[in-house]
């Protein structure tokens, strides 16, 4: 039985791919700088006998052909980049690149896809169709490596009928998976605002344009865009996260810079909110006499899981793991460039449990203490291989 063969191979290769993960974790590279990681992935695929192409400079596209290669096409995706974080874990595989850390689990994702690739290649005479392996760069940085991979044709010739991607979930216990149909992660846009005015002495504000006060008014008024225009049943967040202006107690500065993020779960509302933000900035500028420059850096779209593909993946997960080990995942306002794939073809983005409180493995992603229970790698690579081999649309 194919499922049992996959489970056996995942168990057999677990130690090998834990070592792969530790190597990747110790050698993290920032977004669009994954040159050594890409070479490592290429070497592994070559050793498995899997043909591949380099895409988007550091991305890799591998292709495995099973029986009747034209009968169906499924894509499996992993991201490879790390974050500019100083690791605080004291482990043998601690980052060797100062100031760079795999704090979001992309080393795990890459390892799992490599493990799944080895299993699928070994069993290629036991499953139907073609499987495309997408190792992408730059998930952590606009405009997102997925957009470059798509631009370079990874979803064409042949076109996949669906794509699966996974993410480690430090809030989900080891041995569990979680799925959700429909919108599961938010869009994310970056806001850059510069307030300009006539600076001067704080004791004579009447002869200045108080950029600090204007910035404060703008911050408060931008919140009303969410609270009074968005449907409260559709999650949306606007946060100003940086204020830079002034340097002393008695000088009104001539310039204040703001930075923040806008997130939404609905693409129609997202577009309307951009217009409202621009209008609000224009109105505050006219009311105060300030000059306000606004740049909205358009980021990742909503991750919208296809109901049919996700339903099939969920069922396969229950068959592989047991029904009690598969949960419904929560909506998250975090963003993922996997959303670019779901705009083109049906997609399913699911979560892999890596938490183990007894071992102190409890820290969230994007923190210096993030780590996983590495037994999740066996689960992850077996499950991904099973999704690739067994999904029929």
């Amino acid at each position: 039985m194919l499922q049992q063969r996959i489970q056996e191979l995942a168990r057999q290769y677990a130690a090998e791919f834990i070592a792969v993960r530790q190597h990747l974790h110790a050698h993290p590279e920032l977004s669009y700088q994954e040159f050594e990681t890409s070479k490592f992935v290429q070497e592994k695929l070559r050793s498995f006998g899997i043909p591949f192409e380099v895409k988007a400079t550091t991305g890799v596209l591998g292709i495995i052909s099973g029986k009747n290669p034209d009968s169906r096409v499924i894509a499996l995706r992993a991201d490879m980049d790390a974050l500019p974080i100083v690791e605080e874990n004291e482990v043998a595989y601690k980052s060797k690149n100062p100031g760079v850390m795999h704090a979001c689990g992309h080393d795990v994702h890459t390892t799992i896809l490599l493990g799944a690739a080895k299993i699928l290649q070994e069993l290629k005479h036991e499953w139907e169709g073609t499987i495309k392996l997408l190792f992408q760069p730059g998930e952590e940085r606009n405009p997102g490596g997925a957009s470059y991979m798509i631009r370079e044709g990874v979803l064409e010739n042949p076109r996949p009928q669906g794509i699966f991607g996974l993410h480690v979930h430090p809030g989900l216990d080891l041995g569990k998976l979680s799925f959700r149909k429909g919108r599961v992660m938010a869009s994310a846009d970056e806001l850059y605002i510069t307030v300009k005015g006539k600076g001067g002495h704080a004791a004579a504000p009447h002869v200045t344009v108080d950029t600090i006060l204007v910035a404060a008014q703008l911050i408060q008024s931008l919140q009303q865009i969410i609270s009074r225009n968005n449907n409260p049943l559709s999650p949306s967040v606007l946060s100003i996260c940086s204020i830079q202006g002034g340097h002393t107690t008695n000088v009104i500065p001539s310039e204040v810079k703001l930075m923040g993020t806008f997130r939404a779960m609905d693409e129609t509302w997202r577009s309307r909110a951009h217009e409202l933000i621009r209008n609000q900035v224009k109105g505050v500028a006219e009311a105060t006499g300030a000059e306000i420059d606004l740049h909205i850096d358009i980021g990742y779209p909503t991750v919208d899981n296809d109901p049919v593909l996700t339903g099939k993946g969920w069922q396969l997960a229950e068959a592989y793991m047991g029904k009690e080990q598969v949960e419904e995942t929560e909506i998250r306002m975090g963003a993922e460039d996997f959303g670019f794939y779901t705009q083109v073809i049906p997609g399913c983005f699911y979560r892999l449990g890596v938490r183990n409180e007894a071992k102190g493995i409890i820290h969230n992603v994007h923190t210096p203490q993030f780590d996983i229970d590495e037994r999740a790698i066996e689960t992850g690579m077996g499950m991904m291989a099973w999704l690739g081999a067994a999904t029929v649309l």
Side-chain angles (χ1 to χ4, degrees), residues 4-5 18 21 33 44 51 68 142 146 158 160 180 193 199-200 207 239 247 254 269 308 359 370 393:
Q4 292 176 336
R5 289 282 292 129
I18 286 173
R21 184 260 169 165
Q33 299 176 28
K44 286 295 180 183
N68 304 315
N142 275 354
R180 189 181 191 90
I193 302 170
V207 296
S239 295
H247 62 281
S254 60
W269 158 244
V308 174
K359 292 184 177 181
F370 172 75
L393 291 173

Side-chain angles (χ1 to χ4, degrees), residues 165-218:
L166 91 162
H167 203 291
V168 295
H169 190 346
L172 189 65
D173 287 337
L174 174 73
K176 290 183 176 291
L177 296 167
S178 63
F179 291 75
R180 189 181 191 90
K181 297 177 183 179
R183 296 164 185 161
V184 66
M185 296 189 74
S187 62
D189 304 309
E190 297 173 359
L191 306 178
Y192 298 92
I193 302 170
T194 302
V195 179
K196 301 176 183 178
K198 183 181 179 183
H201 201 293
H206 60 292
V207 296
T208 73
V209 174
D210 189 341
T211 53
I212 297 287
L213 183 60
V214 173
Q217 291 176 351
L218 185 59

Side-chain angles (χ1 to χ4, degrees), residues 108-250:
V108 182
H109 306 164
T110 300
T111 298
I112 285 172
L113 186 51
L114 283 171
K118 182 171 183 175
I119 293 170
L120 289 165
Q121 175 72 354
E122 188 163 330
L123 301 177
K124 65 182 181 179
H125 299 302
E126 299 182 33
W127 52 266
E128 301 263 345
T130 296
I131 295 176
K132 303 182 85 168
L133 312 168
L134 277 58
F135 296 88
Q136 70 151 81
E139 190 282 324
E140 297 286 357
R141 184 178 171 187
N142 275 354
S147 65
Y148 290 126
M149 294 285 280
I150 293 168
R151 188 183 306 170
E152 295 201 11
V154 299
L155 299 183
E156 306 299 336
N157 303 317
R159 187 179 185 87
Q161 295 156 301
I163 182 169
F164 289 98
L166 91 162
H167 203 291
V168 295
H169 190 346
L172 189 65
D173 287 337
L174 174 73
K176 290 183 176 291
L177 296 167
S178 63
F179 291 75
R180 189 181 191 90
K181 297 177 183 179
R183 296 164 185 161
V184 66
M185 296 189 74
S187 62
D189 304 309
E190 297 173 359
L191 306 178
Y192 298 92
I193 302 170
T194 302
V195 179
K196 301 176 183 178
K198 183 181 179 183
H201 201 293
H206 60 292
V207 296
T208 73
V209 174
D210 189 341
T211 53
I212 297 287
L213 183 60
V214 173
Q217 291 176 351
L218 185 59
I219 291 170
Q220 288 189 313
S221 65
L222 286 174
Q223 294 304 318
Q224 296 172 16
I225 289 174
I226 306 299
S227 65
R228 290 298 173 262
N229 293 278
N230 179 49
N231 183 341
L233 300 179
S234 177
S236 188
V237 173
L238 191 158
S239 295
I240 298 298
C241 302
S242 174
I243 307 174
Q244 302 172 28
H247 62 281
T248 189
T249 61
N250 62 351

Side-chain angles (χ1 to χ4, degrees), residues 42-358:
Q42 293 172 47
E43 290 169 2
K44 286 295 180 183
L45 293 180
R46 191 177 292 112
S47 72
F48 303 157
I50 298 173
F52 62 85
E53 300 176 47
V54 175
K55 298 287 187 178
T57 306
T58 53
V60 182
L61 170 65
I63 297 182
I64 308 176
S65 299
K67 297 183 295 182
N68 304 315
D70 297 332
S71 61
R72 69 180 187 107
V73 183
I74 296 293
L76 306 175
R77 172 266 198 174
D79 39 16
M80 301 187 295
D81 53 328
L83 288 160
I85 291 177
V86 177
E87 181 163 14
E88 295 181 4
N89 294 315
E90 294 303 327
V91 291
Y93 49 88
K94 182 177 181 178
S95 171
K96 298 180 184 299
N97 296 340
V100 185
M101 177 190 173
H102 269 299
C104 199
H106 296 188
D107 54 332
V108 182
H109 306 164
T110 300
T111 298
I112 285 172
L113 186 51
L114 283 171
K118 182 171 183 175
I119 293 170
L120 289 165
Q121 175 72 354
E122 188 163 330
L123 301 177
K124 65 182 181 179
H125 299 302
E126 299 182 33
W127 52 266
E128 301 263 345
T130 296
I131 295 176
K132 303 182 85 168
L133 312 168
L134 277 58
F135 296 88
Q136 70 151 81
E139 190 282 324
E140 297 286 357
R141 184 178 171 187
N142 275 354
S147 65
Y148 290 126
M149 294 285 280
I150 293 168
R151 188 183 306 170
E152 295 201 11
V154 299
L155 299 183
E156 306 299 336
N157 303 317
R159 187 179 185 87
Q161 295 156 301
I163 182 169
F164 289 98
L166 91 162
H167 203 291
V168 295
H169 190 346
L172 189 65
D173 287 337
L174 174 73
K176 290 183 176 291
L177 296 167
S178 63
F179 291 75
R180 189 181 191 90
K181 297 177 183 179
R183 296 164 185 161
V184 66
M185 296 189 74
S187 62
D189 304 309
E190 297 173 359
L191 306 178
Y192 298 92
I193 302 170
T194 302
V195 179
K196 301 176 183 178
K198 183 181 179 183
H201 201 293
H206 60 292
V207 296
T208 73
V209 174
D210 189 341
T211 53
I212 297 287
L213 183 60
V214 173
Q217 291 176 351
L218 185 59
I219 291 170
Q220 288 189 313
S221 65
L222 286 174
Q223 294 304 318
Q224 296 172 16
I225 289 174
I226 306 299
S227 65
R228 290 298 173 262
N229 293 278
N230 179 49
N231 183 341
L233 300 179
S234 177
S236 188
V237 173
L238 191 158
S239 295
I240 298 298
C241 302
S242 174
I243 307 174
Q244 302 172 28
H247 62 281
T248 189
T249 61
N250 62 351
V251 177
I252 294 172
S254 60
E255 185 174 281
V256 174
K257 292 182 177 293
L258 308 175
M259 292 189 292
T261 184
F262 170 69
R263 294 166 186 251
M265 296 295 291
D266 180 276
E267 291 293 328
T268 300
W269 158 244
R270 179 191 189 190
S271 178
R272 179 166 177 255
H274 290 176
E275 181 181 355
L276 292 171
I277 291 169
R278 293 187 181 96
N279 290 342
Q280 191 68 23
V281 167
K282 182 179 179 181
V284 170
E286 291 175 350
T288 61
E291 179 184 346
I292 307 179
D293 296 331
L294 167 68
H295 173 60
I296 302 176
D297 189 5
I298 307 298
Y300 305 164
T302 304
V303 177
D304 195 351
N305 278 341
D306 180 77
V308 174
L309 182 67
T310 303
K312 290 181 180 294
W314 199 325
Q315 290 175 348
L316 288 170
E318 289 180 344
Y320 189 89
M321 303 288 297
K323 190 170 184 178
E324 70 283 355
Q325 297 302 106
V326 185
E327 302 179 2
E328 182 175 41
T329 200
E330 69 278 17
I331 290 174
R332 301 172 70 90
M333 296 309 291
E336 239 284 349
D337 75 349
F338 191 83
F340 286 116
Y341 299 117
T342 67
Q343 288 187 321
V344 181
I345 60 174
C348 172
F349 194 66
Y350 64 99
R351 299 272 171 176
L352 171 70
V354 298
R355 183 181 183 88
N356 188 326
E357 290 191 34

